[in-house]
């Protein structure tokens, strides 16, 4: 199993070349469980199977039942559309068994990942000592960042706060409430107007609270997943400074917009964050799974996350001044998942990222225009980033779901409904720079068709 087999390599690489060259990538759709069971039944046995047959099994039954999130017509959730360079380089990580726990084991990989983290910190405007690590995604970043917020908080006299709480808006991502449940921290839920957390709302919630001294941190969202709304980051930063709160910014989806000069001003205040999460596997066109976690003062994070075990002592004694990614999140073993982004940034240049983000943003604005102009459609909110929310007048909840299913069956697009202010509506999340206005027209036209 550990001997290089050129024929096996050809089979696998041949498939990779085929998949990367598809244009357009078929959308695909959910498989039938009975058919999948039957197809996969004999895949694994005590005896070997021919690699070309197994790849065919994969190509015929597995790949088409995974909806292609890298298709420009994938407009659900937050799509993922890696650059070709990033996708290819991801294979180098796997082929070289690159791991990225510590400087001792992986110095070059750590240095390259840190180069990318520095670039992201510069986009955010964070100070020179800012740093962190790549994690599996926004959920892992939020969890790791908020553990540091919790464990770093102290009373004025330096004691640990017994029952710390964290202020969040009702619009924060689901991974934030999940994090708080995991780390045993209660939320102070700040009511918001127009779905956006503001300094005034945070101040008012703290003033009305009987125990504001137990609130140790505030979470702001820079690009809500449902609607792309950016909280009042500079105002919240000011309240955080006044009241000694850790300021965490969840920019998992929005972070890529920092590449755009036009969109950057909407993020004013992010540079003051104590911790920031951005997902390169969203709007920075990097393969799954890649989240970036940055701290204003990484030493605080290392004090919380560094793992202690006799067999790990060498990581900290042999290169004591150097950077160990494992010290900055709850993980230990990790792939240097920042490297595909490093390679792609290098071979494409950062201007290409700016242009891709700007192109996406332009399409979102044009789509919003088309919605506004259509008699049967209503634009629910001017898009802050690249998510467009719309209502089809007269449609019920079931109409949206039936329409979504049909769009996929007809391979026109993958567009799933969402809920906005208690009502089921349609949502288009733009991310792929190659989505055409023609495709948007085609999708919106299907909403004019009568239902039932
Ligand atoms: C996607 C997202 C997350 C979760 O990130 P994963 O990478 O899916 O774990 C968290 N917060 C926001 C705002 C997101 O858009």
């Amino acid at each position: 199993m550990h001997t290089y087999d050129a024929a096996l390599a050809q089979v696998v690489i041949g498939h990779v070349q085929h998949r990367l060259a598809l244009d357009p990538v078929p959308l695909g759709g959910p498989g039938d469980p009975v058919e999948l069971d039957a197809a996969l039944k004999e895949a694994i046995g005590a005896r070997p199977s021919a690699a070309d047959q197994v790849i065919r099994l994969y190509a015929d039954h597995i790949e088409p039942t995974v909806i292609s999130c890298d298709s420009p017509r994938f407009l659900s959730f937050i799509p993922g559309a890696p650059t070709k360079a990033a996708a290819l380089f991801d294979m180098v990580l796997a082929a070289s068994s690159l791991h990225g726990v510590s400087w001792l084991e992986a110095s070059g990989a750590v240095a390259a990942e840190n180069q990318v983290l520095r670039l992201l910190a510069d986009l955010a405007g964070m100070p020179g000592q800012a740093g962190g690590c790549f994690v599996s995604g926004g959920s892992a970043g939020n969890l790791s960042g908020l553990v540091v917020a919790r464990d770093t908080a102290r009373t004025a006299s330096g004691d640990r706060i017994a029952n710390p709480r964290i202020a969040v808006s009702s619009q924060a991502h689901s991974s934030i409430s999940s994090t708080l449940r995991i780390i045993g921290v209660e939320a102070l839920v700040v009511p918001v107007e127009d779905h956006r957390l503001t300094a005034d709302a945070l101040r008012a919630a703290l003033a009305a609270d009987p125990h504001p001294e137990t609130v140790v941190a505030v979470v702001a969202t820079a690009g809500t997943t449902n609607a792309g709304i950016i909280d009042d980051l500079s105002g919240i930063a000011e309240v955080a400074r006044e009241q000694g709160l850790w300021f965490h910014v969840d920019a998992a989806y929005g972070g890529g917009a920092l590449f755009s000069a036009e969109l950057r001003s909407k993020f004013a205040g992010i540079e003051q964050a104590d911790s920031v999460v951005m997902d390169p596997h969203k709007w920075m066109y990097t393969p799954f799974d890649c989240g970036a976690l940055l701290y204003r003062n990484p030493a605080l994070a290392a004090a919380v996350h560094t793992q202690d075990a006799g067999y790990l002592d060498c990581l900290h004694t042999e290169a004591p001044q150097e950077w160990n990614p494992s010290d900055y999140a709850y993980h230990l073993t990790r792939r240097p998942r920042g490297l595909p982004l490093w390679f792609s940034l290098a071979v494409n240049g950062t201007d290409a990222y700016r242009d891709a983000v700007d192109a996406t943003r332009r399409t979102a604005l044009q789509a919003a225009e088309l919605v506004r102009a259509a008699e049967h459609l209503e634009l629910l909110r001017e898009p802050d980033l690249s998510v467009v929310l719309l209502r089809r007048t007269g449609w019920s909840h079931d109409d949206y779901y039936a329409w979504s299913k049909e769009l996929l069956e007809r391979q026109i697009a993958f567009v799933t409904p969402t809920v906005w202010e208690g009502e089921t509506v349609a949502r288009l999340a733009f991310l792929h720079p190659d989505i055409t206005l023609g495709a948007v027209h085609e999708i919106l036209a299907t909403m004019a068709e009568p239902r039932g």
Side-chain angles (χ1 to χ4, degrees):
M1 292 196 289
H2 290 80
T3 306
Y4 179 67
D5 175 342
L8 175 65
Q10 217 33 70
V11 166
V12 175
I13 292 168
H15 182 76
V16 168
Q17 287 171 327
H18 159 77
R19 176 60 174 75
L20 285 176
L22 286 175
D23 185 18
V25 176
L27 265 172
D32 174 72
V34 176
E35 275 171 33
L36 277 168
D37 263 357
L40 298 177
K41 202 173 176 160
E42 289 175 0
I44 301 176
R47 308 292 307 157
S49 299
D52 58 344
Q53 279 173 28
V54 183
I55 279 283
R56 203 169 313 131
L57 176 65
Y58 169 78
D60 292 347
H61 295 280
I62 300 179
E63 202 169 85
T65 57
V66 179
I67 303 175
S68 302
C69 54
D70 56 345
S71 160
R73 289 167 180 266
F74 187 114
L75 302 171
S76 294
F77 318 117
I78 303 288
T83 66
K84 302 298 182 197
L88 282 163
F89 201 79
D90 208 44
M91 298 205 308
V92 175
L93 258 63
S96 318
S97 304
L98 287 196
H99 63 98
V101 175
S102 68
W103 183 266
L104 174 68
E105 301 161 279
S107 48
V110 173
E113 283 195 303
N114 283 352
Q115 190 181 11
V116 180
L117 290 169
R118 184 64 248 160
L119 186 148
L120 300 182
D122 284 340
L123 287 177
M126 294 175 85
Q129 95 271 1
C133 61
F134 287 96
V135 293
S136 63
S139 306
N142 284 329
L143 174 58
S144 298
L146 291 179
V147 167
V148 180
R150 179 196 67 183
D151 289 0
T152 302
R154 290 281 184 278
T155 62
S157 54
D159 300 328
R160 274 284 284 274
I161 292 170
N163 292 304
R165 291 182 300 152
I166 293 181
V168 301
S169 115
S170 53
Q171 306 297 302
H173 187 262
S174 47
S175 63
I176 298 291
S177 46
S178 165
T179 283
L180 297 188
R181 210 164 51 242
I182 294 167
I183 69 174
V185 165
E186 263 187 52
L188 168 64
V189 180
V190 181
V192 291
E193 261 177 57
D194 191 30
H195 307 263
R196 187 168 180 261
L197 181 60
T198 61
D200 288 347
L202 176 59
R203 263 201 204 94
L206 289 167
D209 191 82
H211 297 290
E213 73 285 355
T214 64
V215 178
V216 301
V218 56
V219 176
T221 310
T224 58
T225 319
N226 202 27
I229 297 166
I230 302 166
D231 289 340
D232 168 21
L233 302 180
S234 57
I236 296 164
E238 195 181 309
V239 180
R241 216 174 27 247
E242 272 166 23
Q243 318 234 356
L245 307 179
W246 181 280
F247 178 35
H248 177 82
V249 177
D250 178 359
Y253 151 51
L258 294 171
F259 277 99
S260 161
E262 181 207 328
L263 293 173
R264 174 63 182 83
S265 60
K266 294 177 185 260
F267 293 78
I270 196 172
E271 67 284 352
Q272 300 181 59
D274 292 296
S275 47
V276 176
V277 165
M278 309 178 195
D279 267 355
H281 67 210
K282 289 177 177 167
W283 215 355
M284 294 186 212
Y285 307 115
T286 304
F288 306 129
D289 43 8
C290 186
L293 170 59
L294 287 163
Y295 300 95
R296 173 175 214 81
N297 181 354
L300 297 175
V304 169
H305 283 300
T306 301
Q307 295 192 25
D308 185 19
Y311 82 100
L312 296 175
D313 284 350
C314 57
L315 302 186
H316 300 103
T317 54
E318 295 305 299
Q321 301 310 320
E322 300 304 345
W323 201 264
N324 298 313
S326 57
D327 293 346
Y328 298 95
Y330 69 79
H331 53 204
L332 187 59
T333 297
R334 61 181 290 281
R335 62 203 298 272
R337 50 172 69 84
L339 284 188
L341 178 56
W342 172 84
F343 181 75
S344 180
L345 283 166
V347 303
N348 289 302
T350 55
D351 284 359
Y353 282 76
R354 177 200 61 202
D355 294 348
V357 169
D358 282 338
T360 314
R361 162 79 177 153
R362 229 171 9 250
T363 309
L365 290 179
Q366 288 167 336
E369 258 335 292
L370 291 178
V371 169
R372 224 195 308 269
E375 211 168 296
H376 56 291
L377 303 177
E378 288 167 61
L379 183 68
L380 295 170
R381 199 177 194 287
E382 196 55 43
D384 279 337
L385 292 173
S386 64
V387 174
V388 177
L389 294 175
L390 62 146
R391 175 191 291 127
R392 163 63 159 90
T393 44
W395 272 11
S396 68
H397 169 93
D398 291 348
D399 289 331
Y400 285 99
Y401 276 83
W403 165 74
S404 166
K405 193 158 175 256
E406 261 174 49
L407 270 187
L408 185 61
E409 278 165 6
R410 292 163 67 186
Q411 294 286 288
I412 295 173
F414 183 48
V415 180
T416 46
T418 189
V419 176
W420 178 251
E421 297 179 347
E423 176 191 352
T424 302
V425 299
R427 172 178 177 277
L428 305 171
F430 294 98
L431 186 133
H432 200 305
D434 295 346
I435 174 87
T436 63
L437 210 53
V440 179
H441 263 295
E442 194 184 347
I443 294 163
L444 297 180
T446 62
M447 300 182 92
E449 297 165 12
R451 300 219 58 84

